[in-house]
Amino acid sequence: MAMNVGTGGDEDEPMMEINTTPLIDVMLVLLVMLIITIPLQTHAIKLDMPQAVTTEVNEEPSIVQLVVDEYGLVSWNGEELPDMVALEAKFAGAADATIQPEIHLRPNRMVEYDHVAKVLAAAQRLGVTKIGFVGNEQYID
């Protein structure tokens, strides 16, 4: 006693559609295997970097106190300089020294920035590398 469930159509016809589920599974497995086996591309550039040469300096650099007062006048270790030419001559002498002195720039709180900028530009133009601001606590209110 068999029960025939269905449309009762032709059972002898071949199925015309391909079952793609196993094909997709196989393709996904192959894709995962391909991703795992591909070596990572490293975009590193090989550079021959120079090696640091350490030289001991036993000599301490001298310290120059450079003050710009509220009127824009510049003094070098307490000696007031008459103009920018004299300051540039001092900077040139400091830049040419074997051990450049540390220049501690102390601008007055009330001086216009233009005067300080001219001093810094002259120092940079003449090759002074050891220059820094001191006395910044006067600007904290």
Side-chain angles (χ1 to χ4, degrees), residues 45-49:
I45 299 173
K46 304 291 184 195
L47 294 177
D48 293 328
M49 300 298 288

Side-chain angles (χ1 to χ4, degrees), residues 88-105:
E88 289 177 357
K90 294 278 190 178
F91 279 151
D96 291 339
T98 55
I99 298 176
Q100 282 194 10
E102 289 182 9
I103 298 176
H104 294 180
L105 178 60

